[in-house]
Amino acid sequence: MSDPVALIAVARASVRAHGPQDASAAGHPIRIAYLTSGQRSDLPPLGDRIEVLLPSKDAIVETDYCISGAVTKTTPIRGARIVITPAGASHPTYCARRSDALVIALDPDFYRDSVRGALGCEALEIVQGYNGVDPVLREIGDILRAELRFGRVPSAMYLECWARVVALHLAITYGQPPTRRSPGLPRTKLKEILGFIQRHLADSIQVEDLANTACLSPYHFARLFKRAIGQSPHLYITAQRMQRAKEVLSDSDLPLVDVAAYVGFRTQAHFTGVFRRYSGLTPRAYRLSNRASAPHVEPITGEAPAPS
């Protein structure tokens, strides 16, 4: 039986601190990784967990996704944002390139037990990933990093309390109720399909492939998918590609032709036309507009910042 809390990479050294056993959390591990500049998260890239990345306000964190057996380096995550990866999705490996960051991984059973115990009801599932601003999670990250930054290892009970707060906030803010309009498309199967789409946005995604995953005909699958999501598979996939493109354009200097390929378009011209229909701007204009309103961040250097 595993310890409820595993703390990784404290105070620039890869160490593990295991908390005492707790009957309420037994078998439901919480894994917390504290990453200083140059450190990489020590959590496997795939797994059935809910994961939250909490960078410090001036941090830059690189992410590596493993797609079809190959590692693809994505754009940096800037400190103004947090990242939520739902269970069942492809989980990236993080590397802090500037300042520090915190990664909190919650077992889905621990998430559901925390919500059930606090609210007296079943937890809403987290189906979609999130990359954006969240003041509540930002404050929690600041509190925990203040402890870890100076090498102080909080007790397992203290970390577990904060993990339960995170679980409640995730359920209330990002949980989605199961749809009742789609009895033929089980919730677990829908989550699997949405995760498949997120992992393969750079690839050609055919309705037939998604239908085979659900063991349905393409026609029947398309009807049930639209009932569950409110969009046809094609429109949903395109919308997700546009959202991913906005993130890449905001956080990187990747050439537009490479951005197009990264989100599943064969030509830059096709990508530009679709992006303009969805956002009202060309990709280049969107990038310039976003950069003009973003806070200035110094370029990354090869040296880690000296400790104060």
Side-chain angles (χ1 to χ4, degrees):
M1 188 175 295
S2 61
D3 292 328
V5 180
L7 183 62
I8 305 167
V10 178
R12 300 179 180 271
S14 295
V15 302
R16 293 177 182 268
H18 298 279
Q21 291 288 352
D22 175 39
S24 65
H28 310 301
I30 310 156
R31 286 170 288 179
I32 300 177
Y34 174 63
L35 310 177
T36 57
S37 182
Q39 281 190 320
R40 187 172 298 275
S41 60
D42 192 24
L43 299 174
L46 295 175
D48 190 21
R49 64 178 183 270
I50 303 166
E51 193 169 272
V52 183
L53 171 68
L54 303 172
S56 61
K57 64 180 180 180
D58 57 345
I60 299 177
V61 182
E62 289 182 350
T63 58
D64 289 341
Y65 284 88
C66 186
I67 300 175
S68 301
V71 175
T72 302
K73 182 165 290 187
T74 69
T75 57
I77 303 297
R78 309 259 174 189
R81 295 183 173 185
I82 61 98
V83 176
I84 300 171
T85 305
S90 178
H91 289 260
T93 299
Y94 299 109
C95 182
R97 304 305 302 173
R98 178 188 177 97
S99 193
D100 55 358
L102 204 66
V103 182
I104 301 177
L106 304 179
D107 183 274
D109 287 337
F110 174 86
Y111 164 76
R112 287 187 284 267
D113 289 347
S114 298
V115 175
R116 189 184 302 116
L119 303 180
C121 62
E122 293 301 316
L124 300 178
E125 293 294 326
I126 300 172
V127 178
Q128 299 284 1
Y130 178 74
N131 181 337
V133 177
D134 187 311
V136 174
L137 292 177
R138 162 73 52 213
E139 184 68 21
I140 293 173
D142 290 344
I143 292 171
L144 291 176
R145 279 194 309 275
E147 294 286 333
L148 299 171
R149 189 170 284 160
F150 297 103
R152 295 193 294 264
V153 181
S155 69
M157 183 177 296
Y158 179 83
L159 293 174
E160 182 179 339
C161 288
W162 277 117
R164 292 191 186 279
V165 172
V166 170
L168 289 175
H169 178 72
L170 292 177
I172 294 171
T173 308
Y174 303 101
Q176 297 183 13
T179 176
R180 297 183 178 180
R181 296 184 298 168
S182 179
L185 198 60
R187 184 174 58 185
T188 55
K189 186 61 67 176
L190 176 62
K191 185 167 71 171
E192 179 183 348
I193 291 167
L194 296 182
F196 177 91
I197 291 172
Q198 289 297 322
R199 294 191 299 272
H200 292 84
L201 288 178
D203 306 324
S204 175
I205 304 176
Q206 303 297 324
V207 174
E208 290 79 4
D209 297 331
L210 301 177
N212 289 336
T213 301
C215 300
L216 297 169
S217 70
Y219 175 76
H220 192 200
F221 167 79
R223 290 179 58 198
L224 294 179
F225 186 93
K226 187 171 183 178
R227 289 179 189 174
I229 299 300
Q231 293 178 305
S232 68
H234 174 72
L235 288 179
Y236 176 82
I237 292 169
T238 302
Q240 295 304 302
R241 283 177 168 151
M242 293 302 99
Q243 179 60 36
R244 180 72 60 81
K246 288 180 179 180
E247 295 169 4
V248 175
L249 291 168
S250 298
D251 293 338
S252 80
D253 295 316
L254 200 66
L256 296 181
V257 65
D258 294 332
V259 176
Y262 184 74
V263 296
F265 288 85
R266 293 186 178 181
T267 68
Q268 181 181 336
H270 186 202
F271 166 63
T272 298
V274 175
F275 189 91
R276 181 158 42 190
R277 287 200 302 271
Y278 271 76
S279 68
L281 297 171
T282 65
R284 181 176 182 275
Y286 179 87
R287 170 177 276 169
L288 293 175
S289 174
N290 210 305
R291 293 289 174 84
S293 60
H296 176 70
V297 178
E298 294 295 332
I300 305 173
T301 64
E303 298 296 327
S308 56

